[in-house]
């Protein structure tokens, strides 16, 4: 008996009990579909985290003020603001690992343009902020040096603010009012999307730092207080080394005594997002492992049905052996039946998994990524399940004695 004849015989045997064959394949179908869908969802979640990492800017750190103590009671985080614009400049100049550093302060206010208004985030910062955040202008220009130093009433708008205030109109050179102060729009930021916390990064109005301090925050005076420092580390440089250098420099500038606690916090955004990415990967593997259990259960079903098939066809096995079939021919016949069940069930599982992945992406609105690797993995594993769970019934059939098989009722 050649392999083609063995396959043809196995297919006829399966087709003779179509309903039983379909029910046997059901576990494999569900298992393959579950593996493909879970890997697609997990891979989509990982890609989403990577997009968020790019949205925040690569190799970015945030330097935030620490908490303030009053009467021995420690207040909420970020209640102590002692940074100045000079601190941000010192980080960029004195630390070789730092590519750019941008001071920023933030508040919320109503922005008004013509007959529309929108409550949004108002940021005060410098041109370096765009470099730190890997952000670009879709249209317009950067702030000029004189505008940054002279509290000029100019602004950049995020995409959400443009949509809410101007609709489809071009906002460049248009005027918006923030807390009664008129600002000329000189730039429109490229779309950024949501951050890792689900906040809309495009819902923002950005003005020069001096403008924010003197016209919106109304701080006045000669002390250039700021709230946050955004730091971008050069490509290929150690984030940990840069973080330690930033801490040491700020401790010196803020006159923190030796052994004293830092009066600020340094947050490494890359580490946070990488941890989220690793958690997504682990969740993907966990979901795939759970889905793989369905394949194992399907394999047990195949073994069960193949054992029943061997019992039902004992006389047939005896006849084949009597006319010259060798044990390896009988082994191949039943093993091919088991593998055929697995592979055909795997093919149907791929179709079901594709539909399920499409449904999750379209109906639930989740990020999904159905890859060829996941399909090959699922189908390959289903074939191995067929071989593993089909071998014992096939071996049992191959070791039947012809005389006993022919006398079986």
């Amino acid at each position: 008996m050649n392999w083609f004849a063995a396959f043809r015989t196995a297919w006829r045997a399966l087709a003779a009990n179509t309903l039983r064959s379909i029910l046997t394949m059901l576990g494999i179908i569900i298992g393959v579909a579950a593996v493909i869908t879970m890997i697609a969802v997990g891979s989509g979640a990982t890609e989403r985290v990577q997009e968020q990492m790019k949205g925040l800017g690569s190799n970015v750190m945030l330097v935030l003020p620490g908490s303030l103590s009053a009467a021995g009671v420690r207040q909420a985080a970020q209640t102590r603001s002692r940074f100045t614009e000079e601190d941000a400049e010192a980080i960029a100049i004195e630390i070789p690992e730092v590519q750019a550093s941008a001071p920023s302060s933030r508040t919320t206010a109503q922005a008004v343009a013509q007959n529309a208004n929108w409550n949004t985030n108002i940021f005060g910062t410098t041109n370096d902020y765009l470099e730190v955040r890997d952000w670009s202008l879709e249209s317009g220009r950067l702030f000029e040096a004189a505008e940054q130093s002279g509290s000029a009433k100019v602004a950049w708008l995020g995409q959400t603010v443009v949509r809410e205030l101007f609709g489809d109109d071009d906002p460049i050179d248009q005027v918006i009012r923030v807390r009664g102060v008129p600002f000329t729009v000189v730039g429109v930021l490229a779309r950024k999307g949501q951050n890792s916390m689900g906040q809309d990064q495009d819902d923002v109005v950005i003005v020069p730092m001096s403008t924010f301090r003197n016209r919106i925050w109304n701080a006045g005076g000669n002390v250039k207080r700021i709230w946050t420092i955004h730091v971008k580390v050069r490509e290929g440089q150690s984030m940990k080394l840069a973080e330690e250098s930033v801490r040491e420099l700020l401790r010196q500038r803020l006159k923190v005594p030796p052994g004293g606690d830092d009066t600020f916090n340094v947050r490494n955004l890359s580490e946070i997002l990488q941890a989220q990415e690793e958690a997504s990967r682990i969740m993907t593997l966990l979901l795939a492992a759970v889905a793989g259990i369905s394949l194992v259960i399907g394999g047990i079903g195949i073994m069960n049905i193949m054992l029943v098939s061997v019992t039902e066809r004992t006389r047939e096995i005896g006849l084949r052996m009597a006319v010259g079939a060798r044990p390896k021919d009988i082994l191949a016949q039943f093993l091919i039946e088991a593998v055929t069940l697995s592979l055909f069930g795997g093919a149907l599982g791929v179709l079901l998994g594709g539909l399920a992945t499409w449904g999750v992406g379209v109906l639930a609105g989740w990020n999904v990524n159905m890859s060829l690797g996941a399909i090959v993995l699922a189908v390959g594993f289903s074939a191995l399940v067929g071989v593993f769970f089909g071998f014992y019934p096939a071996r049992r059939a191959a070791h039947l004695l012809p005389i006993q098989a022919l006398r079986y009722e």
Side-chain angles (χ1 to χ4, degrees):
M1 178 184 288
N2 57 35
W3 285 101
F4 178 76
F7 178 79
R8 184 177 58 187
T9 303
W11 183 258
R12 287 176 179 173
L14 295 175
N17 297 280
T18 306
L19 181 59
R20 186 172 72 180
S21 298
I22 292 175
L23 293 176
T24 303
M25 290 187 297
L26 194 58
I28 297 294
I29 294 172
I30 294 174
V32 170
V35 168
I36 290 175
T37 304
M38 293 302 99
I39 292 180
V41 172
S43 178
T46 301
E47 285 190 356
R48 176 60 179 164
V49 172
Q50 292 172 345
E51 289 175 4
Q52 291 173 350
M53 189 178 296
K54 292 179 181 178
L56 287 173
S58 58
N59 304 332
V60 174
M61 292 186 296
L62 279 182
V63 185
L64 304 168
S67 59
L68 183 67
S69 296
V73 178
R74 200 171 181 85
Q75 306 297 314
Q78 303 178 30
T79 52
R80 176 187 294 178
S81 177
R82 297 181 56 193
F83 298 140
T84 64
E85 294 177 41
E86 286 75 12
D87 292 330
E89 294 173 4
I91 291 174
I93 295 172
E94 298 183 28
I95 301 178
E97 295 83 8
V98 171
Q99 176 178 334
S101 176
S104 70
S105 292
R106 171 184 175 276
T107 188
T108 58
Q110 199 84 7
V112 180
Q114 300 173 355
N115 296 324
N117 64 84
W118 182 250
N119 194 59
T120 185
N121 299 300
I122 313 297
F123 270 83
T125 187
T126 64
N127 289 333
D128 291 332
Y129 182 76
L130 298 185
E131 181 180 359
V132 173
R133 295 289 311 279
D134 285 337
W135 212 340
S136 61
L137 290 176
E138 184 178 89
S139 60
R141 60 173 176 83
L142 298 175
F143 298 139
E144 296 176 356
E147 293 172 338
Q148 293 190 81
S149 61
S151 302
K153 293 178 284 186
V154 292
W156 300 327
L157 303 187
Q159 294 285 338
T160 300
V161 178
V162 171
R163 183 186 68 238
E164 297 297 334
L165 294 184
F166 296 98
D168 296 329
D169 297 337
D170 184 5
I172 299 298
D173 295 330
Q174 299 293 324
V175 175
I176 66 170
R177 303 185 72 85
V178 177
R179 294 185 177 175
V181 180
F183 288 87
T184 301
V185 179
V186 297
V188 175
L189 296 163
R191 187 173 302 280
K192 199 72 168 173
Q194 294 183 344
N195 61 17
S196 59
M197 304 299 292
Q199 298 169 334
D200 185 3
Q201 298 179 93
D202 298 314
D203 190 3
V204 63
V205 173
I206 297 180
V207 300
M209 190 70 242
S210 61
T211 306
F212 181 90
R213 184 176 62 251
N214 296 321
R215 299 186 184 278
I216 294 178
W217 212 359
N218 294 322
N222 296 321
V223 180
K224 300 179 179 180
R225 295 291 188 197
I226 60 173
W227 192 246
T228 307
I229 302 175
H230 297 255
V231 180
K232 181 174 183 178
V233 178
R234 296 184 188 278
E235 195 70 30
Q237 297 293 327
S238 170
M239 290 289 290
K240 186 175 182 180
L241 178 61
E243 182 177 338
E244 292 174 353
S245 299
V246 169
R247 287 185 182 277
E248 183 178 353
L249 176 62
L250 288 179
R251 285 177 65 88
Q252 293 175 1
R253 294 185 62 86
L254 298 177
K255 296 181 173 57
V256 179
D261 294 335
D262 291 341
T263 57
F264 55 87
N265 297 308
V266 180
R267 294 183 181 176
N268 189 332
L269 299 183
S270 296
E271 289 183 356
I272 296 173
L273 291 174
Q274 285 169 5
Q276 291 181 354
E277 185 177 8
E278 185 64 24
S280 297
R281 288 199 185 113
I282 293 174
M283 184 59 67
T284 301
L285 293 176
L286 178 61
L287 293 174
V290 172
I293 294 175
S294 299
L295 286 174
V296 175
I297 295 173
I300 295 173
I302 289 175
M303 176 184 282
N304 182 40
I305 292 302
M306 293 307 298
L307 286 172
V308 172
S309 180
V310 169
T311 302
E312 290 178 346
R313 296 158 61 188
T314 300
R315 287 178 60 84
E316 175 192 333
I317 296 169
L319 285 171
R320 291 183 182 278
M321 288 183 170
V323 296
R326 295 164 295 178
K328 68 176 184 179
D329 297 326
I330 303 299
L331 178 69
Q333 176 187 342
F334 283 91
L335 198 56
I336 287 175
E337 287 186 26
V339 174
T340 301
L341 279 172
S342 294
L343 288 177
F344 196 66
L348 293 177
V350 169
L351 294 177
L352 181 60
L355 289 174
T357 300
W358 176 83
V360 170
V362 174
L363 301 180
W366 293 3
N367 280 21
V368 292
N369 181 21
M370 184 174 174
S371 64
L372 179 61
I375 295 174
V376 173
L377 175 65
V379 175
F381 189 64
S382 69
L384 289 176
V385 165
V387 172
F388 181 80
F389 287 98
F391 183 78
Y392 174 73
R395 185 176 181 275
R396 181 174 176 179
H399 284 76
L400 287 174
L401 296 176
I403 298 298
Q404 293 179 353
L406 287 169
R407 297 161 83 181
Y408 184 82
E409 294 293 337

